[in-house]
Amino acid sequence: METKKRLKIGILTAGGDCPGINAAIRGVAKTAILEYGMEVIGISSGFAGLINKEYIALNETHVSGILTLGGTILGTSREKPFGKKQLQDAIDRPKLIKEHYADLKLDCLVCIGGNGTMRTAGMLSQQGLNIIGIPKTIDNDVWGTDVTFGFDSAVNIATEAIDRLHTTANSHKRIMIIEVMGHNAGWIALHSGIAGGGDLILLPEIPYQEDVMLKYLDERATIRKGYSIVVVAEGIEKPKKEKAGEYISKLIGDKLGYETRVTVLGYIQRGGTPSPTDRILATRYGTYAAELISEGQFGRMVAIHENKITSIPIAETEGKTRLIPPDYSLIAKARKMGTCFGDTLPTNVTVL
Ligand code: F6P
């Protein structure tokens, strides 16, 4: 009877780190090794590791005890082998990647990353490498899946911060502005803003009007509560050199004269142990990636559609970003409770 070839896979993690990456690595590697008898190679620092031949053999010991560990045991980078600048310089990165993939005798390369990573992975797939993509980012903006791991952890962190801002805002009767990450999408701002009881939530997907925003805050200050919580996504419309939170704070301070303070949550949203939700999602993605490889299904990104695990052709993600749809039900519900998104005054707010 013909013995089945022992498959050999490489795993790399690229782009911004986030809680849950190690859970995904563990999901892929343990399933590959224990269920399918595969050989697993860990590639350091994203695509840079494949270019510079920085890899280690991963066995079950390497990936035990990492489920709850933040960051990535493999390290990451934002190396863009097909970037405009990179393609102009002397080093042919895509060629080195293909050569080293062949030297390693890999049967598949698992790329754990966000939009940029999926773009690179898709191009390598078009150039003949067997690729599986696993969508990760706190931004939750990878096209083709309902949710990325990292997002739930970031929302938990941001929500806890907003909860804490309520007490100090109330004590000083101040307008507290918190800037959260999300790149060009507002998913973290929306979900943490709702979970944290934000009064004004500014999203890149909903262009705000200065006068509406100011009227809303002025009305709250004079008629309702003596303080407000403003949740600002870092990617909102603002002058290039300005930081989102500082810009909004200055606008409010200068135009309304109220006391404001800014908190930029920054990299805290990407640190620490993954939430249980992210651990489960990352594990689902990782184990399913190993399944697809065992079935010889390549050129795909694992995904969740209405809580069902599935996969899509990785080529479909090319150049796309998943932004909050205009008819997203959570926004409509929040508006009904008097939350303002800066575009129109809530109906229950009387214009002074
Ligand atoms: O993509 C995740 C993210 O944290 C974004 O939310 C943020 O804008 C960006 O990475 C920061 O990039 P860097 O880690 O290169 O500073």
Side-chain angles (χ1 to χ4, degrees):
M1 193 210 9
E2 192 195 326
T3 47
K4 212 168 168 214
K5 174 181 180 287
R6 186 185 187 204
L7 297 181
K8 184 176 183 184
I9 68 171
I11 305 175
L12 64 81
T13 60
D17 70 317
C18 73
I21 295 178
N22 287 321
I25 293 169
R26 173 178 175 272
V28 180
K30 286 190 91 165
T31 308
I33 295 165
L34 299 177
E35 180 68 17
Y36 301 114
M38 296 177 190
E39 198 182 339
V40 181
I41 300 292
I43 295 160
S44 304
S45 312
F47 293 102
L50 206 43
I51 293 166
N52 306 321
K53 298 169 76 170
E54 293 157 6
Y55 0 95
I56 50 156
L58 286 182
N59 60 38
E60 211 198 326
T61 320
H62 289 108
V63 294
S64 66
I66 66 169
L67 171 66
T68 59
L69 203 55
T72 159
I73 57 168
L74 297 177
T76 184
S77 72
R78 289 192 183 277
E79 173 67 52
K80 291 182 173 50
F82 294 95
K84 263 199 222 84
K85 194 167 60 58
Q86 288 78 348
L87 290 176
Q88 278 151 10
D89 82 17
I91 311 166
D92 186 342
R93 292 169 175 78
K95 181 168 174 286
L96 286 173
I97 287 175
K98 285 179 277 189
E99 279 173 6
H100 298 159
Y101 174 99
D103 294 348
L104 280 168
K105 296 187 174 50
L106 292 182
D107 295 292
C108 180
L109 177 65
V110 177
C111 303
I112 302 174
N115 286 317
T117 305
M118 292 309 131
R119 178 174 180 274
T120 302
M123 297 179 90
L124 290 171
S125 175
Q126 281 166 21
Q127 296 192 7
L129 270 57
N130 290 337
I131 297 284
I132 291 285
I134 298 183
K136 74 86 200 151
T137 174
I138 63 166
D139 304 340
N140 199 37
D141 63 354
V142 175
W143 196 88
T145 185
D146 291 350
V147 62
T148 58
F149 64 81
F151 172 62
D152 183 68
S153 300
V155 170
N156 286 346
I157 293 163
T159 302
E160 200 214 325
I162 295 169
D163 289 350
R164 291 174 182 279
L165 289 177
H166 275 275
T167 56
T168 178
N170 192 12
S171 307
H172 289 264
K173 298 295 176 258
R174 280 171 173 162
I175 296 176
M176 299 302 273
I177 294 109
I178 179 168
E179 178 187 314
V180 296
M181 284 184 157
H183 202 209
N184 297 326
W187 294 102
I188 298 175
L190 177 62
H191 283 250
S192 64
I194 304 278
D199 304 298
L200 172 66
I201 302 173
L202 300 181
L203 308 171
E205 296 91 339
I206 301 180
Y208 62 94
Q209 315 294 328
E210 277 183 26
D211 59 339
V212 170
M213 176 181 88
L214 296 171
K215 267 195 196 111
Y216 174 76
L217 291 172
D218 199 21
E219 199 267 351
R220 276 187 57 85
T222 40
I223 299 186
R224 296 173 196 276
K225 275 187 182 160
Y227 75 92
S228 287
I229 300 289
V230 182
V231 183
V232 180
E234 64 175 347
I236 61 164
E237 185 63 36
K238 59 183 172 40
K240 254 202 174 349
K241 291 195 175 29
E242 299 269 5
K243 295 286 284 176
E246 285 299 339
Y247 174 67
I248 295 298
S249 169
K250 200 166 169 319
L251 213 57
I252 297 165
D254 291 355
K255 299 275 174 79
L256 296 179
Y258 294 129
E259 227 187 334
T260 63
R261 291 292 185 276
V262 181
T263 300
V264 179
L265 212 44
Y267 296 87
I268 292 170
Q269 296 161 96
R270 291 193 356 206
T273 186
S275 67
T277 298
D278 275 342
R279 297 177 198 183
I280 293 166
L281 177 57
T283 300
R284 290 178 76 187
Y285 278 160
T287 52
Y288 191 55
E291 265 177 62
L292 290 174
I293 296 166
S294 75
E295 294 161 1
Q297 290 201 51
F298 302 120
R300 303 190 71 81
M301 181 188 85
V302 296
I304 287 274
H305 292 169
E306 286 154 24
N307 203 27
K308 284 199 181 54
I309 194 95
T310 183
S311 70
I312 61 167
I314 204 160
E316 279 183 17
T317 69
E318 168 59 30
K320 294 176 188 153
T321 302
R322 183 176 166 268
L323 298 176
I324 302 172
D327 60 350
Y328 196 60
S329 65
L330 200 50
I331 292 178
K333 291 190 174 55
R335 287 188 196 277
K336 288 197 171 83
M337 297 191 314
T339 305
C340 181
F341 290 91
D343 55 340
T344 56
L345 279 173
T347 43
N348 60 344
V349 169
T350 46
V351 179
L352 294 175

